[in-house]
Amino acid sequence: MSRRVTFVTILVVGLLAGLGIYLYRVFRPAAARSLEVRNWITRGSSEAGTTIRAGERCGDVPFVYPTDGLIGFIWGDSFSPGHRHQGLDIFGGGEVGVTPVVAAYDGYLSRLPDWKSSVIMRVPEDPLQPGRQIWLYYTHMANRDGRSYISADFPPGTTEVFVPAGMLLGYQGNYSGDPNNPVGVHLHFSIVRDDGSGKFLNELKIANTLDPSPYFNMPLNANENRDKIPVCEQ
């Protein structure tokens, strides 16, 4: 009996240790980057070269940076079991309605009638894969109560308005849909797949989004960049 108990104890301890290692690997990227984000927001300081500027780009790549700030969380970061981040969270470090958001690439902008903080741009020709249509999604451009910071050029119901890269879309906000739970001032940006019939897929699922790394020439995939704030290495 004692040998059986010992074996079961060893087995349980081993399983718990394995689970601990797994959880550490899953949550460490978000935790490490969270510290940098907190320092950036509370002290307005970060390592030299870790912030980006709207309209600039890293080398000879298709996309310009969509806003100013620190890229705090990237594609594939984990915040809870079973959830992986679908895009980029870029923290401007200022108040709501101040940090500009611009188009990362030429496209046709739409804003659904009930969208307070979001717009989406259709790019008919993926610059990295000709013949494929993609969509660029921008959100959190409103304050905690839903007051929109999207440019007045794009009122609710806007459909297929051509917008060139670098054009002002709005300003960073902290809207989450719940006034009691604002998300912190930042822009969430993602590259969304087309469903094959000319519509965008559900951005909430990472399988429906693309790794933004090659579009910006930066380490923006958490499977490869485990814990560093991404920077342009040109």
Side-chain angles (χ1 to χ4, degrees):
M1 177 65 80
S2 61
R3 289 182 178 177
R4 181 178 299 177
V5 171
T6 300
F7 173 76
V8 171
T9 300
I10 293 173
L11 179 61
V12 170
V13 170
L15 290 173
L16 290 174
L19 178 62
I21 293 171
Y22 169 76
L23 291 175
Y24 174 77
R25 289 178 175 175
V26 168
F27 289 103
R28 182 174 179 265
R33 278 190 271 268
S34 290
L35 180 60
E36 288 290 330
V37 171
R38 186 170 66 227
N39 290 339
W40 168 244
I41 293 174
T42 59
R43 298 204 299 264
S45 63
S46 181
E47 294 180 13
T50 58
T51 55
I52 61 174
R53 297 288 295 176
E56 296 182 355
R57 72 179 82 222
C58 181
D60 185 18
V61 291
F63 287 6
V64 300
Y65 299 135
T67 193
D68 299 342
L70 186 82
I71 304 177
F73 301 116
I74 62 178
W75 191 78
D77 267 337
S78 295
F79 306 109
S80 61
H83 177 269
R84 295 173 64 211
H85 196 227
Q86 322 93 288
L88 308 177
D89 282 353
I90 307 171
F91 296 82
E95 299 296 323
V96 294
V98 173
T99 305
V101 174
V102 305
Y105 194 73
D106 297 350
Y108 296 85
L109 183 145
S110 294
R111 178 183 176 189
L112 299 189
D114 60 342
W115 279 3
K116 298 178 179 180
S117 71
S118 308
V119 298
I120 194 162
M121 290 180 60
R122 181 176 66 86
V123 178
E125 191 85 358
D126 182 342
L128 297 185
Q129 186 172 318
R132 177 172 70 175
Q133 179 166 275
I134 57 174
W135 301 77
L136 309 183
Y137 180 68
Y138 308 74
T139 194
H140 301 315
M141 291 185 287
N143 72 3
R144 62 190 300 164
D145 297 314
R147 176 188 172 190
S148 181
Y149 295 127
I150 296 171
S151 170
D153 293 332
F154 312 115
T158 294
T159 303
E160 290 285 298
V161 173
F162 176 74
V163 173
M167 183 173 178
L168 180 70
L169 303 182
Y171 299 88
Q172 288 186 25
N174 61 354
Y175 182 71
S176 71
D178 179 0
N180 297 315
N181 187 34
V183 293
V185 183
H186 73 283
L187 170 73
H188 174 87
F189 171 88
S190 59
I191 305 171
V192 185
R193 296 177 182 271
D194 190 88
D195 70 354
S197 65
K199 298 179 181 179
F200 54 88
L201 291 170
N202 181 4
E203 189 269 346
L204 294 177
K205 298 180 179 179
I206 192 171
N208 294 338
T209 62
L210 296 172
D211 176 2
S213 301
Y215 295 86
F216 290 101
N217 191 31
M218 296 178 74
L220 302 172
N221 186 329
N223 295 320
E224 300 166 0
N225 177 6
R226 300 295 296 172
D227 57 5
K228 301 292 190 303
I229 295 294
V231 297
C232 177
E233 297 178 351
Q234 288 289 322

